[in-house]
Amino acid sequence: MKRRAFLKNGALASISLPFVQNGFSMQAIAKELFSVPKSAEDKVLVLIRMNGGNDGLNMVFPRDQYAELVVQRANMLVPENSILPLTNTVGLHPKMTGMQTLFNEGKLSIIQNVGYPEPNRSHFRSMDIWTTGSLDINQTSGWLGRYFESTYPNFPDAYPNVDYPDPFAISMGSEVSATCQGLVGNFSHALSDPFSSSSLPLTPVVNDGTYYGSQIEYISTLINQTNEYGQQINSAAVAGNSLSNLYDPQNPLAVQLKYVAQMISGGLKTKVYILNVNGFDTHDAQVDALDFKEGVHANLLQRISDAVRAFQHDLQLLGLEQRVAGLTFSEFGRQIASNGSMGTDHGDAAPLILFGSCISSGIIGTNPQIPNQINSQAGIPMEIDFRDVYASLLKDWFEVDPNQIQGLFEQNISYLDLLQGCTNSITQQETFSAQKALVFPNPSLSKHQLRFNSAGAHYEIFLVDQQGKVMAKVLDSFVQAGVFNQSFEVSLLPQGSYYYLLKSAAHQELVAFQKI
Amino acid sequence: MNLYNGPWTSAEAAHLLRRATYGASFPQIQLAVNGGMHACVAQLLNITPINEPLAYDPGEQIVAFGQSWVNAVYPADVTANQQTEAARRKSLGAWLMQNINQEQLNLTQKMQFFWQNHFGVTSSGDARAMYQFLNLLHQNALGNVKNLVKEVATDPCMLVFLNGSTNTVFSPNENFSRELLELFSIGKGPQVAAGDYTNYTEQDVAEGAKIFTGFIVQGVRSSTQSQVTSQFMPQLHDSSTKVLSYHFGNQTLSANGAQEHLDYIDLIFAQPETAKYICRKLYRYFVNYDISTWVETNIIAAMAQILVNNNYEIAPVLEALFKSEHFYDTSVRGAIIKSPFEAVFSMLNSTGSVVNFDLQTSSQMYLTMYTLADQMGQEYAAPPSVAGWTAYYQAPAFTKLWINSTYLKKRFDVALLMTTNGLTLNNQNFSLNFLGLLNGLSAPAAAPTVIQDLCTVFCPKVIDPADQLYLKSLLTGGLPDFEWTLQYNEYLADPTNPTFYNPVILRVKAVLNTLFRMPQFHVC
């Protein structure tokens, strides 16, 4: 990385201040703030992307409104008696027997009507929104990329290393996942076959600070990572195991999930696996003209359902069930009414599927309301914000501190109870406490805001580095009672971990942030 | 844009040729230096005609071996029909790679692929229609973008790809209408209100769908029709008056049958944002992924103005761009990571290596290259989505997306293949033209100059002296430089004697084997 000058004002020389705060040394607090709880260290999240915009209404059926569905999509609706019942009012597509089984075993949950405000019906923009976890057009990092960046700083330059020898995420196939995009590198490692390994030659390069320099440095880093991660993956896959006989070798998703099971059982510490299924952009011939239960979409659903069922079965046999949870997502659902080509056009919200033995099984949310007449271009309105689903997974599954999570998302998070049953780690609803100070966005690139609840007192706020050195005093004045909110320019700060130390007569607090 | 008036050396000429073609050789770079920038740009702005793809695969059951199939019917029998289609697709894939490998030193191939990325079309299920579509892109590669969009709108391949062929007054289908605005013309801006994307709204998408109703496609894999055609069916067209959103001044389009969509495309191109959107894509493709505020204000705006002033002709825009001060700024040199085609064909084209065997062997070798490029993330006739390849639009990584652990391994495999055994098929071996490359350099007998010249051809910036020394040690086999001079001169004295040329080839192979796997080779 290029060296950057520190802060514009040269007068802000650092003052050495090895002080102790509330009985803890700064170093200890730093560790506390950024460490991952032991119980969450071996948790794995599997994401399955349904690329193209999945027709939620042909996957999860509001059984109580079949008559309305007939009004909307008579030219493609599966017969009522073939829908697989989950509850009295909710059913699955007839091809999804595998997932029906998981639901009955308490290992599958449907999250209804997931979307975001002001839906965007462009594949590309909407997929950006889902992968960045943000509605901000300028947000380019992925939601998992931000989480990783705030927890494991200095990626990709500092990785792999002794503490983190394995890729943070693996994207099955030949492309990395936008969910894991950080500001410099992508935290996901693209992998086609964990059993193939070969070493690439590495020529060290120098980044001269130009576009050229950053590109050749990137390629060089990737060569190094490919070699080191490749060896780790290969050893894990060879050491690993797969016990289920339910995987269909003709089903590409099943083959990939089997690889995932082998890597997990072989001890790979990768936290996230991302898999991709193409083909959901079903503008025409979504169903078979002679049998509406069959067709392109039915086959895609069956592939996912069967593969997840086999994977879950494998994890059970391997004794790994409690370590793995999975989630499906797609850029949008489709319009309520079908079009004239036995297909559906781009719509809005749609259901997500959550699976694993630790998830709180059942139906989260309510059935969408299907009108009894066709409204041109109407989609399913959002009920649950997808960013809340992500945030809830981070909190309950990876046990991330809610304040850190709030720094990753722009909206005020409402947590959902997604995980229960096996660990029951956090049951009560926790939300951002206005008593605690917050830096947003965190990690920060150029500007961020510091927010805290002032009791109405004289405050001194210091910027402190990882070694406990005070870099600058950024505030020294009376702060009125209420929420204090101020922007700070940090673009010239070298990358690393920092804190704001808030001090008043009655209130002392540290809030950490990452500069990237 | 300011006219470039700095030095015109092999560094500048090589930079221009690396961006505008799939690979120039050292002698071609020298010719460009001697001719000057204006002559070089003038040469680049030509379109080379291309021959039609020829049948070579035994699956073809209509035309004879070596004949063009682009205007030939399909067999009526279902199996024979499928076999023939498979054979024609192979022929098409091989032909696409052959065109790149045999490009003349101009923009034809780079621009044809630019449009393929722009429209993101995947085959319609009839190789003849895909050929027609690619040929349309070829004919208009440096032509008028407004006309091209009009042609593409009713092209059979596009009509099938984005469901235009089933878009009727009875069941409008928004697919093409949406992508036309979002990706092909004006581009999508930030969402500023529900269904409002700065430059257009959902209303325009819905009304646009109606405007494009009524075109059907005939003759897909037909045993009687020699071409796939599109036809306007008035009874399937929505003849209501269409009302556009405030972004288009709430204008109305009255029924105008088969011409109505042309009126609509004229309206879209009348919006200033359309020219800017097209120029941003050109800039990202040819100059740099990063469009800073400065670039937007000074370069994109100027390019867009030239496009508008020239009634949407592309050539004047590229002419100005390739002669601009900004294009030669050292800050943008080497800013692009090579696409798989750029990586593979810089190995071939810059060494003057052309696959030239019997039709079947050549075609099979080109098809192998097509497949290798696919495994590196670039399958010509099948973009990953209608938005094209992510490397051209996905922020912040852009061309970094050509490089990941999977693609990287494949790239290096290809580099190894090309610098060791080459490609062997039907007892024929294709190797790079190592001797031709060497003999074309400025002073082949001088080891340091050989390395310098190779870096001029293959690397966008001067590489570190230590790396140059290392490459030189591969050329000399670790011996003093004069040993290489002796070796080369022995070969020159008896050029057909394998005792002398084989060791020379081996040394050049050793250099390229490493050079092609250095990060500096993979940027341009």
Side-chain angles (χ1 to χ4, degrees), chain B residues 45-92:
Chain B
L45 291 171
N46 284 306
I47 292 291
T48 314
I50 38 176
N51 297 323
E52 292 173 357
L54 305 177
Y56 76 89
D57 185 272
E60 169 69 50
Q61 289 162 44
I62 296 292
V63 304
F65 180 87
Q67 300 301 304
S68 166
W69 46 263
V70 302
N71 292 313
V73 295
Y74 278 81
D77 175 70
V78 174
T79 310
N81 188 302
Q82 284 170 352
Q83 289 168 340
T84 300
E85 171 66 6
R88 292 179 180 182
R89 285 187 186 196
K90 287 184 194 170
S91 166
L92 194 71

Short mmCIF file of all heavy atoms in Angstrom, two decimals, chain B residues 45-92:
data_model
loop_
_atom_site.label_atom_id
_atom_site.label_comp_id
_atom_site.label_asym_id
_atom_site.label_seq_id
_atom_site.Cartn_x
_atom_site.Cartn_y
_atom_site.Cartn_z
N LEU B 45 -9.05 3.23 -38.00
CA LEU B 45 -10.47 3.50 -38.21
C LEU B 45 -11.03 2.84 -39.47
O LEU B 45 -11.99 3.33 -40.06
CB LEU B 45 -10.71 5.02 -38.26
CG LEU B 45 -10.49 5.74 -36.92
CD1 LEU B 45 -10.51 7.24 -37.09
CD2 LEU B 45 -11.55 5.31 -35.91
N ASN B 46 -10.44 1.74 -39.87
CA ASN B 46 -10.96 0.99 -41.02
C ASN B 46 -11.66 -0.28 -40.56
O ASN B 46 -11.33 -0.83 -39.52
CB ASN B 46 -9.81 0.60 -41.95
CG ASN B 46 -9.34 1.79 -42.75
OD1 ASN B 46 -10.15 2.44 -43.42
ND2 ASN B 46 -8.06 2.09 -42.67
N ILE B 47 -12.60 -0.70 -41.37
CA ILE B 47 -13.26 -1.97 -41.10
C ILE B 47 -12.79 -3.00 -42.12
O ILE B 47 -12.87 -2.76 -43.33
CB ILE B 47 -14.80 -1.81 -41.21
CG1 ILE B 47 -15.33 -0.93 -40.09
CG2 ILE B 47 -15.49 -3.16 -41.21
CD1 ILE B 47 -15.26 -1.56 -38.73
N THR B 48 -12.28 -4.12 -41.63
CA THR B 48 -11.86 -5.20 -42.52
C THR B 48 -13.06 -6.10 -42.82
O THR B 48 -13.71 -6.55 -41.88
CB THR B 48 -10.78 -6.08 -41.84
OG1 THR B 48 -9.82 -5.22 -41.24
CG2 THR B 48 -10.14 -7.02 -42.82
N PRO B 49 -13.33 -6.36 -44.10
CA PRO B 49 -14.40 -7.32 -44.38
C PRO B 49 -14.00 -8.71 -43.89
O PRO B 49 -12.80 -9.02 -43.86
CB PRO B 49 -14.51 -7.31 -45.91
CG PRO B 49 -13.57 -6.28 -46.40
CD PRO B 49 -12.64 -5.89 -45.30
N ILE B 50 -14.97 -9.51 -43.50
CA ILE B 50 -14.62 -10.87 -43.08
C ILE B 50 -15.39 -11.89 -43.90
O ILE B 50 -16.52 -11.64 -44.32
CB ILE B 50 -14.87 -11.13 -41.57
CG1 ILE B 50 -16.15 -10.43 -41.10
CG2 ILE B 50 -13.69 -10.71 -40.73
CD1 ILE B 50 -16.49 -10.73 -39.67
N ASN B 51 -14.78 -13.04 -44.08
CA ASN B 51 -15.43 -14.12 -44.81
C ASN B 51 -16.46 -14.82 -43.93
O ASN B 51 -16.39 -14.74 -42.70
CB ASN B 51 -14.39 -15.15 -45.27
CG ASN B 51 -13.41 -14.52 -46.24
OD1 ASN B 51 -13.82 -13.69 -47.07
ND2 ASN B 51 -12.15 -14.88 -46.12
N GLU B 52 -17.38 -15.51 -44.57
CA GLU B 52 -18.41 -16.22 -43.80
C GLU B 52 -17.81 -17.49 -43.18
O GLU B 52 -16.84 -18.04 -43.71
CB GLU B 52 -19.56 -16.59 -44.74
CG GLU B 52 -20.32 -15.35 -45.20
CD GLU B 52 -21.36 -15.65 -46.27
OE1 GLU B 52 -21.46 -16.81 -46.70
OE2 GLU B 52 -22.06 -14.70 -46.66
N PRO B 53 -18.40 -17.94 -42.07
CA PRO B 53 -17.91 -19.19 -41.46
C PRO B 53 -18.21 -20.39 -42.38
O PRO B 53 -19.22 -20.39 -43.08
CB PRO B 53 -18.71 -19.29 -40.16
CG PRO B 53 -19.89 -18.41 -40.34
CD PRO B 53 -19.49 -17.33 -41.30
N LEU B 54 -17.34 -21.36 -42.34
CA LEU B 54 -17.46 -22.51 -43.25
C LEU B 54 -17.73 -23.79 -42.48
O LEU B 54 -17.25 -23.97 -41.36
CB LEU B 54 -16.16 -22.66 -44.05
CG LEU B 54 -15.71 -21.41 -44.83
CD1 LEU B 54 -14.38 -21.67 -45.52
CD2 LEU B 54 -16.77 -20.98 -45.83
N ALA B 55 -18.48 -24.68 -43.13
CA ALA B 55 -18.79 -25.97 -42.51
C ALA B 55 -17.55 -26.83 -42.47
O ALA B 55 -16.83 -26.94 -43.46
CB ALA B 55 -19.88 -26.66 -43.32
N TYR B 56 -17.27 -27.41 -41.29
CA TYR B 56 -16.13 -28.32 -41.22
C TYR B 56 -16.44 -29.55 -40.39
O TYR B 56 -15.79 -30.58 -40.49
CB TYR B 56 -14.91 -27.61 -40.61
CG TYR B 56 -15.00 -27.45 -39.10
CD1 TYR B 56 -14.51 -28.44 -38.25
CD2 TYR B 56 -15.62 -26.35 -38.53
CE1 TYR B 56 -14.62 -28.31 -36.87
CE2 TYR B 56 -15.73 -26.21 -37.15
CZ TYR B 56 -15.22 -27.20 -36.33
OH TYR B 56 -15.34 -27.08 -34.98
N ASP B 57 -17.49 -29.46 -39.57
CA ASP B 57 -17.78 -30.55 -38.63
C ASP B 57 -18.71 -31.55 -39.31
O ASP B 57 -19.65 -31.15 -40.00
CB ASP B 57 -18.44 -29.95 -37.39
CG ASP B 57 -18.66 -30.98 -36.31
OD1 ASP B 57 -19.72 -31.64 -36.33
OD2 ASP B 57 -17.76 -31.16 -35.47
N PRO B 58 -18.47 -32.84 -39.10
CA PRO B 58 -19.31 -33.87 -39.76
C PRO B 58 -20.79 -33.79 -39.36
O PRO B 58 -21.64 -34.36 -40.05
CB PRO B 58 -18.68 -35.19 -39.32
CG PRO B 58 -17.70 -34.86 -38.26
CD PRO B 58 -17.34 -33.43 -38.38
N GLY B 59 -21.10 -33.08 -38.25
CA GLY B 59 -22.51 -32.93 -37.86
C GLY B 59 -23.33 -32.15 -38.88
O GLY B 59 -24.55 -32.30 -38.96
N GLU B 60 -22.68 -31.33 -39.67
CA GLU B 60 -23.37 -30.52 -40.69
C GLU B 60 -23.93 -31.45 -41.78
O GLU B 60 -23.19 -32.22 -42.37
CB GLU B 60 -22.39 -29.51 -41.29
CG GLU B 60 -22.89 -28.80 -42.54
CD GLU B 60 -24.03 -27.83 -42.27
OE1 GLU B 60 -23.90 -27.01 -41.36
OE2 GLU B 60 -25.06 -27.92 -42.98
N GLN B 61 -25.24 -31.35 -42.05
CA GLN B 61 -25.85 -32.29 -42.97
C GLN B 61 -26.53 -31.64 -44.17
O GLN B 61 -27.27 -32.29 -44.90
CB GLN B 61 -26.83 -33.20 -42.21
CG GLN B 61 -26.06 -34.16 -41.32
CD GLN B 61 -26.88 -34.80 -40.23
OE1 GLN B 61 -28.00 -35.23 -40.48
NE2 GLN B 61 -26.33 -34.84 -39.02
N ILE B 62 -26.30 -30.35 -44.36
CA ILE B 62 -26.91 -29.69 -45.51
C ILE B 62 -25.85 -29.24 -46.52
O ILE B 62 -25.88 -29.64 -47.67
CB ILE B 62 -27.77 -28.49 -45.07
CG1 ILE B 62 -28.94 -28.97 -44.21
CG2 ILE B 62 -28.27 -27.71 -46.28
CD1 ILE B 62 -30.00 -29.78 -44.95
N VAL B 63 -24.91 -28.41 -46.05
CA VAL B 63 -23.94 -27.92 -47.02
C VAL B 63 -22.68 -28.79 -46.99
O VAL B 63 -22.41 -29.48 -46.00
CB VAL B 63 -23.55 -26.43 -46.76
CG1 VAL B 63 -24.77 -25.55 -46.76
CG2 VAL B 63 -22.76 -26.29 -45.47
N ALA B 64 -21.94 -28.75 -48.07
CA ALA B 64 -20.74 -29.57 -48.19
C ALA B 64 -19.62 -28.98 -47.32
O ALA B 64 -19.63 -27.80 -46.98
CB ALA B 64 -20.29 -29.62 -49.65
N PHE B 65 -18.67 -29.83 -46.99
CA PHE B 65 -17.48 -29.44 -46.25
C PHE B 65 -16.83 -28.23 -46.94
O PHE B 65 -16.64 -28.21 -48.15
CB PHE B 65 -16.49 -30.61 -46.21
CG PHE B 65 -15.22 -30.31 -45.48
CD1 PHE B 65 -15.13 -30.50 -44.11
CD2 PHE B 65 -14.10 -29.86 -46.17
CE1 PHE B 65 -13.95 -30.23 -43.43
CE2 PHE B 65 -12.91 -29.59 -45.50
CZ PHE B 65 -12.84 -29.76 -44.13
N GLY B 66 -16.52 -27.21 -46.16
CA GLY B 66 -15.83 -26.06 -46.72
C GLY B 66 -16.76 -25.00 -47.30
O GLY B 66 -16.30 -23.98 -47.79
N GLN B 67 -18.08 -25.26 -47.26
CA GLN B 67 -19.03 -24.28 -47.80
C GLN B 67 -19.63 -23.45 -46.66
O GLN B 67 -19.69 -23.89 -45.52
CB GLN B 67 -20.18 -25.00 -48.54
CG GLN B 67 -19.71 -25.83 -49.71
CD GLN B 67 -18.98 -24.98 -50.75
OE1 GLN B 67 -19.52 -24.00 -51.24
NE2 GLN B 67 -17.73 -25.33 -51.04
N SER B 68 -20.10 -22.26 -47.00
CA SER B 68 -20.76 -21.42 -46.01
C SER B 68 -22.18 -21.95 -45.74
O SER B 68 -22.89 -22.37 -46.65
CB SER B 68 -20.88 -19.99 -46.53
OG SER B 68 -21.79 -19.27 -45.72
N TRP B 69 -22.55 -21.92 -44.48
CA TRP B 69 -23.87 -22.42 -44.09
C TRP B 69 -24.82 -21.28 -43.70
O TRP B 69 -25.95 -21.54 -43.28
CB TRP B 69 -23.75 -23.40 -42.93
CG TRP B 69 -22.84 -22.91 -41.82
CD1 TRP B 69 -21.53 -23.23 -41.64
CD2 TRP B 69 -23.16 -22.00 -40.77
NE1 TRP B 69 -21.01 -22.58 -40.55
CE2 TRP B 69 -21.99 -21.82 -39.99
CE3 TRP B 69 -24.33 -21.33 -40.40
CZ2 TRP B 69 -21.96 -20.98 -38.87
CZ3 TRP B 69 -24.30 -20.49 -39.29
CH2 TRP B 69 -23.11 -20.31 -38.55
N VAL B 70 -24.38 -20.03 -43.82
CA VAL B 70 -25.17 -18.95 -43.21
C VAL B 70 -26.50 -18.69 -43.93
O VAL B 70 -27.41 -18.08 -43.37
CB VAL B 70 -24.36 -17.64 -43.07
CG1 VAL B 70 -23.10 -17.86 -42.25
CG2 VAL B 70 -24.03 -17.03 -44.42
N ASN B 71 -26.62 -19.18 -45.17
CA ASN B 71 -27.90 -19.06 -45.87
C ASN B 71 -28.44 -20.42 -46.26
O ASN B 71 -29.09 -20.57 -47.29
CB ASN B 71 -27.74 -18.19 -47.12
CG ASN B 71 -27.44 -16.75 -46.76
OD1 ASN B 71 -28.11 -16.17 -45.90
ND2 ASN B 71 -26.42 -16.18 -47.38
N ALA B 72 -28.16 -21.41 -45.43
CA ALA B 72 -28.61 -22.76 -45.77
C ALA B 72 -29.69 -23.22 -44.79
O ALA B 72 -29.65 -22.89 -43.60
CB ALA B 72 -27.43 -23.72 -45.72
N VAL B 73 -30.65 -23.96 -45.30
CA VAL B 73 -31.73 -24.50 -44.46
C VAL B 73 -31.17 -25.54 -43.50
O VAL B 73 -29.99 -25.91 -43.57
CB VAL B 73 -32.84 -25.15 -45.33
CG1 VAL B 73 -33.51 -24.10 -46.19
CG2 VAL B 73 -32.27 -26.29 -46.16
N TYR B 74 -32.06 -26.03 -42.63
CA TYR B 74 -31.70 -27.11 -41.70
C TYR B 74 -32.40 -28.39 -42.15
O TYR B 74 -33.43 -28.34 -42.84
CB TYR B 74 -32.17 -26.76 -40.29
CG TYR B 74 -31.21 -25.85 -39.55
CD1 TYR B 74 -31.21 -24.48 -39.78
CD2 TYR B 74 -30.29 -26.37 -38.65
CE1 TYR B 74 -30.34 -23.65 -39.12
CE2 TYR B 74 -29.40 -25.54 -37.98
CZ TYR B 74 -29.43 -24.18 -38.21
OH TYR B 74 -28.55 -23.36 -37.56
N PRO B 75 -31.90 -29.56 -41.74
CA PRO B 75 -32.61 -30.81 -42.04
C PRO B 75 -33.97 -30.83 -41.33
O PRO B 75 -34.12 -30.24 -40.24
CB PRO B 75 -31.70 -31.90 -41.47
CG PRO B 75 -30.39 -31.25 -41.24
CD PRO B 75 -30.65 -29.80 -41.00
N ALA B 76 -34.94 -31.51 -41.92
CA ALA B 76 -36.27 -31.61 -41.31
C ALA B 76 -36.24 -32.58 -40.13
O ALA B 76 -36.90 -32.37 -39.12
CB ALA B 76 -37.28 -32.06 -42.35
N ASP B 77 -35.45 -33.61 -40.25
CA ASP B 77 -35.36 -34.61 -39.19
C ASP B 77 -34.81 -33.98 -37.91
O ASP B 77 -33.81 -33.26 -37.93
CB ASP B 77 -34.42 -35.72 -39.66
CG ASP B 77 -34.17 -36.74 -38.55
OD1 ASP B 77 -35.12 -37.48 -38.23
OD2 ASP B 77 -33.05 -36.75 -37.99
N VAL B 78 -35.46 -34.25 -36.78
CA VAL B 78 -35.13 -33.56 -35.54
C VAL B 78 -33.68 -33.80 -35.12
O VAL B 78 -32.96 -32.87 -34.79
CB VAL B 78 -36.09 -34.00 -34.40
CG1 VAL B 78 -35.65 -33.39 -33.08
CG2 VAL B 78 -37.51 -33.58 -34.73
N THR B 79 -33.25 -35.04 -35.15
CA THR B 79 -31.88 -35.35 -34.73
C THR B 79 -30.86 -34.70 -35.66
O THR B 79 -29.90 -34.07 -35.21
CB THR B 79 -31.66 -36.88 -34.71
OG1 THR B 79 -32.73 -37.46 -33.98
CG2 THR B 79 -30.33 -37.22 -34.08
N ALA B 80 -31.10 -34.84 -36.95
CA ALA B 80 -30.18 -34.25 -37.93
C ALA B 80 -30.15 -32.73 -37.78
O ALA B 80 -29.11 -32.09 -37.93
CB ALA B 80 -30.60 -34.64 -39.34
N ASN B 81 -31.30 -32.17 -37.46
CA ASN B 81 -31.43 -30.73 -37.26
C ASN B 81 -30.55 -30.29 -36.09
O ASN B 81 -29.79 -29.33 -36.19
CB ASN B 81 -32.92 -30.42 -37.00
CG ASN B 81 -33.21 -28.93 -36.96
OD1 ASN B 81 -32.62 -28.23 -36.15
ND2 ASN B 81 -34.10 -28.46 -37.82
N GLN B 82 -30.63 -31.03 -34.99
CA GLN B 82 -29.83 -30.69 -33.80
C GLN B 82 -28.34 -30.86 -34.07
O GLN B 82 -27.53 -30.04 -33.66
CB GLN B 82 -30.23 -31.58 -32.62
CG GLN B 82 -31.55 -31.14 -32.00
CD GLN B 82 -32.09 -32.14 -30.99
OE1 GLN B 82 -31.56 -33.24 -30.85
NE2 GLN B 82 -33.14 -31.76 -30.30
N GLN B 83 -28.00 -31.94 -34.79
CA GLN B 83 -26.58 -32.18 -35.09
C GLN B 83 -26.04 -31.06 -35.97
O GLN B 83 -24.91 -30.60 -35.79
CB GLN B 83 -26.41 -33.53 -35.79
CG GLN B 83 -26.65 -34.70 -34.85
CD GLN B 83 -26.77 -36.02 -35.59
OE1 GLN B 83 -27.06 -36.04 -36.80
NE2 GLN B 83 -26.57 -37.12 -34.87
N THR B 84 -26.86 -30.61 -36.91
CA THR B 84 -26.43 -29.55 -37.81
C THR B 84 -26.24 -28.25 -37.03
O THR B 84 -25.27 -27.52 -37.24
CB THR B 84 -27.45 -29.39 -38.95
OG1 THR B 84 -27.52 -30.63 -39.66
CG2 THR B 84 -27.05 -28.27 -39.89
N GLU B 85 -27.18 -27.98 -36.11
CA GLU B 85 -27.05 -26.76 -35.31
C GLU B 85 -25.77 -26.82 -34.48
O GLU B 85 -25.02 -25.85 -34.39
CB GLU B 85 -28.28 -26.58 -34.41
CG GLU B 85 -28.17 -25.47 -33.37
CD GLU B 85 -28.07 -24.06 -33.94
OE1 GLU B 85 -28.20 -23.89 -35.17
OE2 GLU B 85 -27.86 -23.12 -33.15
N ALA B 86 -25.51 -27.99 -33.86
CA ALA B 86 -24.29 -28.13 -33.04
C ALA B 86 -23.06 -27.88 -33.90
O ALA B 86 -22.12 -27.20 -33.49
CB ALA B 86 -24.25 -29.51 -32.40
N ALA B 87 -23.06 -28.42 -35.12
CA ALA B 87 -21.91 -28.25 -36.02
C ALA B 87 -21.75 -26.78 -36.39
O ALA B 87 -20.63 -26.27 -36.46
CB ALA B 87 -22.12 -29.09 -37.28
N ARG B 88 -22.84 -26.10 -36.63
CA ARG B 88 -22.75 -24.69 -37.03
C ARG B 88 -22.29 -23.81 -35.87
O ARG B 88 -21.58 -22.83 -36.07
CB ARG B 88 -24.12 -24.23 -37.57
CG ARG B 88 -24.45 -24.91 -38.89
CD ARG B 88 -25.79 -24.53 -39.47
NE ARG B 88 -25.98 -25.26 -40.74
CZ ARG B 88 -27.04 -25.13 -41.53
NH1 ARG B 88 -28.01 -24.28 -41.20
NH2 ARG B 88 -27.13 -25.82 -42.65
N ARG B 89 -22.70 -24.18 -34.67
CA ARG B 89 -22.22 -23.41 -33.51
C ARG B 89 -20.71 -23.56 -33.35
O ARG B 89 -20.01 -22.60 -33.03
CB ARG B 89 -22.91 -23.87 -32.23
CG ARG B 89 -24.33 -23.38 -32.16
CD ARG B 89 -24.95 -23.69 -30.82
NE ARG B 89 -26.36 -23.31 -30.86
CZ ARG B 89 -27.12 -23.15 -29.80
NH1 ARG B 89 -26.62 -23.38 -28.60
NH2 ARG B 89 -28.37 -22.80 -29.92
N LYS B 90 -20.23 -24.77 -33.55
CA LYS B 90 -18.77 -24.98 -33.48
C LYS B 90 -18.09 -24.13 -34.53
O LYS B 90 -17.07 -23.48 -34.27
CB LYS B 90 -18.44 -26.45 -33.72
CG LYS B 90 -18.80 -27.38 -32.58
CD LYS B 90 -18.31 -28.79 -32.94
CE LYS B 90 -18.91 -29.84 -32.02
NZ LYS B 90 -18.64 -31.20 -32.52
N SER B 91 -18.64 -24.16 -35.73
CA SER B 91 -18.06 -23.38 -36.82
C SER B 91 -18.04 -21.89 -36.47
O SER B 91 -17.06 -21.19 -36.73
CB SER B 91 -18.86 -23.66 -38.09
OG SER B 91 -18.56 -22.72 -39.08
N LEU B 92 -19.14 -21.43 -35.88
CA LEU B 92 -19.25 -20.01 -35.51
C LEU B 92 -18.22 -19.63 -34.43
O LEU B 92 -17.57 -18.59 -34.53
CB LEU B 92 -20.67 -19.72 -35.01
CG LEU B 92 -21.05 -18.25 -34.91
CD1 LEU B 92 -21.21 -17.62 -36.29
CD2 LEU B 92 -22.36 -18.09 -34.14
#
